[in-house]
């Protein structure tokens, strides 16, 4: 699975975004170690804090399908720069040890970083 294909999966899941409040559609796709890809979109709620980001939707789908070994995540939105995951999603990305974060926008800009760059000194289960 190339980064390009993971981005394409994220882009197609973005089409399903439920964003009646922000009108800001986000797509994500997670690559599991067994080769499966799980996509997600943001799902908003009239009670705003209940909104689920695209990245967390995709990760929750992967885990709930039995995929816990996760290698990479792509995220895409209509942003100027490649779309960066929010802080809450960074924490969830860290929880599952997803190493590669591929950020993209609709214009083809891509930036790939390691999760530890996005969330240095992450709080983890090892701290408990
Ligand atoms: N959003 C995501 O889906 N992922 C992020 O990492 C940043 C924010 C969504 C949440 C909300 O539906 C909309 O973008 C505006 O914040």
């Amino acid at each position: 699975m190339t980064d390009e294909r993971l981005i394409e999966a994220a882009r197609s899941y973005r089409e399903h975004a439920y964003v009646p409040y922000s009108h800001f559609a986000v797509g994500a796709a997670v690559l599991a170690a067994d080769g499966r890809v799980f996509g997600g979109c943001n799902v908003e709620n009239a009670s705003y804090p209940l909104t689920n980001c695209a990245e967390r939707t995709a990760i929750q789908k992967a885990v709930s399908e039995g995929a816990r070994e996760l290698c990479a995540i792509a995220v895409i939105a209509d942003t100027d720069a490649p779309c960066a995951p929010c802080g809450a999603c960074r924490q969830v990305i860290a929880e599952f040890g997803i190493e590669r974060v591929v950020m993209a926008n609709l214009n083809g800009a891509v930036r790939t970083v390691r999760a530890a760059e996005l969330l240095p000194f992450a709080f983890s289960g090892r701290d408990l």
Side-chain angles (χ1 to χ4, degrees):
M1 167 64 63
T2 63
D3 284 354
E4 289 70 25
R5 290 181 73 171
L6 201 59
I7 292 167
E8 274 320 303
R11 185 192 289 261
S12 78
Y13 275 91
R14 180 179 171 275
E15 303 291 322
H16 301 303
Y18 175 72
V19 288
Y21 307 107
S22 74
H23 305 288
F24 183 75
V26 185
V30 172
L31 174 65
D34 62 12
R36 285 186 288 171
V37 171
F38 300 89
C41 60
N42 49 339
V43 182
E44 298 187 341
N45 192 284
S47 177
Y48 296 169
L50 298 185
T51 292
N52 213 41
C53 289
E55 300 92 314
R56 282 179 289 132
T57 302
I59 293 168
Q60 287 159 4
K61 282 177 66 182
V63 174
S64 61
E65 293 296 331
R68 283 204 187 165
E69 208 181 321
L70 307 177
C71 311
I73 185 166
V75 54
I76 189 166
D78 189 10
T79 41
D80 290 339
C83 184
C86 78
C89 290
R90 293 176 194 206
Q91 180 66 27
V92 176
I93 289 167
E95 178 72 25
F96 290 98
I98 303 174
E99 280 255 326
R100 285 166 59 74
V101 181
V102 182
M103 303 177 286
N105 71 12
L106 297 184
N107 297 325
V110 176
R111 181 162 188 202
T112 302
V113 296
R114 291 177 352 96
E117 294 177 70
L118 289 180
L119 191 63
F121 306 105
F123 181 77
S124 82
R126 288 183 297 279
D127 296 309
L128 294 174

